[in-house]
Amino acid sequence: MKALFIALCSLAVLAPANSIVAQTPGASGPVEAFSAFIDNRKPPDASTPAQSLDEIERSALAENPEIHVAARKVAMAEAHVPTTGKLDDPQFMLRNWQVPLNKPWDYNAAQNMLMLSQSLPGPGKRALQTSIAQSDVTVAQDELESVRLRVRVEVRKAFFDLLLAQEEMRIHDQHVDIARQAIEAARIKYTVGKVPQQDVLKAKLAMTRLEEHMIRFDRDAEVARAQMNTLLGRDPAMPIRVEGDFGVGADLPAGKQLEERSLVSRPDLLEAQAVAEKSRREQSLAGKAYVPDFNIAGGYMLMPTGNSPRNNYMVEGSITLPWLNRRKHDAEISESTVKVTEQDAEVAAMRNAAFGQIEEALAEARAAQRLARVYHDSLEPQAQATLHAAVIAYENNQTDLLDLLDSQMAVIDVDLAWFQSMGNFAASMSDLELAVGAPIGATTQPPTAATKEENQ
């Protein structure tokens, strides 16, 4: 590619042997406009160190504000656990009976009672209350993992979007000088009457197309940079550069293997299962409705002066009678049972949807991988061969410079399509990671027959 690039530059410079002629007014507009656009472009800041995907992911997991919020929710749920399953506060009571109205201060003539009481929930209720609170912690932790997974996937997508934009701009930058020389050569030939005005128009259209691509690539890079900095909890305008590869050569795992893995790694599935488990514990607690609660109390009584004995004590106990309120408790038990069945159905639906998402993302990844290999193994060599033939034809005066420029644009299109397919593969792999709930690494061992059949 580099040798062909140098050859094209040389041919473009040497093409018009009698190109030292006066330029017609206004004829150099396309060249000057293109040169101004190229010169005014802001190249990536080379002083900004390039970061790998692993480095950016680690920074995002440590600094992302949404992850911090989810982590605080976990801490709040954990702080709530010790407050559940505890006994209610004991109660102290002072009661004065038969205090004379004509001597309201004469407590010696009254019956004075001091009492301390404590309510006691039925057996097993406090443990179930604590387990329900612990289920809330599990749900909050799964929510945290869901946020972490989503942030990691969004970081990966932004990383590969920025990497794709960098690679696309690099490909175009390699062809900038060729485009300049081709447009200038067409203009000069038109000036001396060797080519029709249509050739100048073709050159201008080719230049406009290249300029349009660069504007789009700059926009894509700025958007990806802003998204990545936001995920990192930084100023969206901060400069950032990335380095890495798209991993197109990785062997994709089988769908069944990914489905099994998702059952133990996908956070939203685990969260739904934790919610369902919480509902079952709440159902068990509702089933304790017919277990009575108790209240015990003990007190001291001081009788009026002259009574014998004057000092007494008392013990008091009470028990709830839930059997007399069956309508309420049966409704509570029925409600908790319906909630459990609803949660179980939701888990089954989410599991089914997750398997579908895995298969869809896997199909997209396979298609993008095959397309990238087609561009790399077939179309790119053909485009290079066509460009090489155009160079030879131009050397032997069998074609003009615009045909050579068309061949060059074909190579650019194939290279860009190749990078785009690799970007689509990286995005599909990110979606697959989101569907599975865990990173999908490259396979180091040769695929088995089953895997090959699955990938076909």
Side-chain angles (χ1 to χ4, degrees):
M1 183 67 184
K2 185 180 292 186
L4 198 57
F5 173 73
I6 296 174
L8 283 171
C9 288
S10 301
L11 287 173
V13 174
L14 298 176
N18 55 351
S19 62
I20 310 301
V21 294
Q23 300 180 6
T24 59
S28 61
V31 180
E32 293 176 352
F34 181 74
S35 299
F37 170 76
I38 296 298
D39 294 338
N40 291 332
R41 285 183 66 241
K42 294 182 179 180
D45 188 0
S47 63
T48 303
Q51 295 180 277
S52 66
L53 178 58
D54 290 340
E55 292 173 338
I56 293 177
E57 281 187 353
R58 285 195 297 268
S59 298
L61 294 178
E63 304 296 337
N64 183 266
E66 293 184 63
I67 293 179
H68 291 169
V69 172
R72 297 312 305 162
K73 290 182 178 180
V74 173
M76 184 172 62
E78 291 174 340
H80 179 64
V81 173
T83 67
T84 61
K86 303 298 183 182
L87 294 175
D88 292 338
D89 295 338
Q91 295 183 4
F92 174 77
M93 182 184 69
L94 170 63
R95 180 176 295 173
N96 302 110
W97 292 343
Q98 298 179 343
V99 180
L101 289 178
N102 59 349
K103 294 182 179 181
W105 59 86
D106 189 4
Y107 287 103
N108 287 326
Q111 297 181 26
N112 303 293
M113 182 174 65
L114 307 175
M115 182 171 290
L116 187 66
S117 63
Q118 176 68 59
S119 61
L120 300 173
K125 291 184 178 181
R126 293 169 56 197
L128 285 172
Q129 291 170 351
T130 301
S131 66
I132 291 173
Q134 290 172 341
S135 296
D136 290 333
V137 174
T138 303
V139 171
Q141 290 173 340
D142 290 331
E143 288 178 353
L144 172 60
E145 290 304 316
S146 294
V147 174
R148 290 169 60 90
L149 175 63
R150 179 175 55 80
V151 168
R152 185 167 61 243
V153 169
E154 290 179 358
V155 165
R156 291 177 65 87
K157 288 186 175 181
F159 174 89
F160 287 117
D161 286 344
L162 183 56
L163 181 63
L164 176 62
Q166 290 179 177
E167 293 297 328
E168 289 172 332
M169 286 188 288
R170 180 182 62 82
I171 291 295
H172 267 59
D173 288 342
Q174 289 180 352
H175 294 271
V176 165
D177 290 339
I178 299 177
R180 282 175 168 170
Q181 295 293 342
I183 297 172
E184 179 68 13
R187 186 191 62 79
I188 293 176
K189 284 188 176 184
Y190 169 72
T191 301
V192 298
K194 288 189 175 182
V195 296
Q197 187 177 8
Q198 183 180 4
D199 286 0
V200 178
L201 179 60
K202 288 182 179 180
K204 180 179 179 181
L205 290 175
M207 176 270 299
T208 303
R209 184 181 177 189
L210 190 62
E211 181 178 350
E212 177 186 354
H213 284 176
M214 288 186 168
I215 293 174
R216 179 165 58 85
F217 299 154
D218 285 337
R219 178 207 63 191
D220 293 344
E222 290 178 3
V223 170
R225 189 178 300 111
Q227 291 175 343
M228 186 173 296
N229 281 324
T230 301
L231 292 169
L232 293 172
R234 306 190 305 194
D235 182 358
M238 283 189 63
I240 185 171
R241 290 195 307 124
V242 298
E243 60 180 1
D245 59 75
F246 294 94
V248 178
D251 291 323
L252 297 177
K256 291 298 182 183
Q257 176 184 354
L258 296 177
E259 290 175 2
E260 293 175 358
R261 187 175 182 184
S262 69
L263 296 177
V264 296
S265 62
R266 181 160 166 159
D268 58 346
L269 278 180
L270 298 177
E271 179 183 348
Q273 293 170 3
V275 172
E277 179 61 27
K278 177 184 176 182
S279 298
R280 278 187 283 273
R281 294 175 180 176
E282 290 174 340
Q283 182 186 29
S284 299
L285 182 59
K288 294 282 186 179
Y290 287 107
V291 176
D293 297 330
F294 304 90
N295 188 81
I296 59 174
Y300 166 75
M301 180 177 292
L302 179 64
M303 302 300 291
T305 303
N307 286 5
S308 181
R310 190 181 182 190
N311 299 301
N312 302 276
Y313 77 90
M314 64 178 298
V315 177
E316 184 179 283
S318 63
I319 182 173
T320 59
L321 303 176
W323 311 280
L324 302 181
N325 198 11
R326 285 185 175 275
R327 182 176 298 180
K328 173 187 176 182
H329 298 308
D330 288 345
E332 292 173 345
I333 294 173
S334 177
E335 180 186 5
S336 63
T337 302
V338 172
K339 187 176 181 180
V340 168
T341 57
E342 186 271 335
Q343 293 291 343
D344 289 339
E346 184 174 348
V347 170
M350 291 184 63
R351 184 183 297 116
N352 182 68
F355 290 169
Q357 292 170 3
I358 289 173
E359 291 300 328
E360 290 177 9
L362 193 56
E364 293 288 344
R366 289 170 183 158
Q369 186 180 56
R370 288 197 296 266
L371 186 59
R373 289 174 176 174
V374 168
Y375 277 117
H376 181 264
D377 300 338
S378 179
L379 294 181
E380 187 182 28
Q382 292 177 15
Q384 294 287 352
T386 301
L387 181 58
H388 185 68
V391 171
I392 296 176
Y394 185 78
E395 290 177 340
N396 295 295
N397 296 322
Q398 296 176 356
T399 187
D400 57 22
L401 191 58
L402 291 180
D403 291 333
L404 192 61
L405 184 61
D406 288 340
S407 298
Q408 178 202 9
M409 294 305 297
V411 173
I412 293 177
D413 289 341
V414 170
D415 284 340
L416 293 182
W418 177 32
F419 281 115
Q420 188 62 50
S421 63
M422 289 193 294
N424 291 338
F425 174 77
S428 299
M429 290 298 291
S430 297
D431 291 335
L432 185 60
E433 176 180 333
L434 183 63
V436 174
I440 309 298
T443 303
T444 57
Q445 297 180 353
T448 63
T451 305
K452 291 180 179 179
E453 182 180 355
E454 183 76 21
N455 290 334
Q456 290 179 353

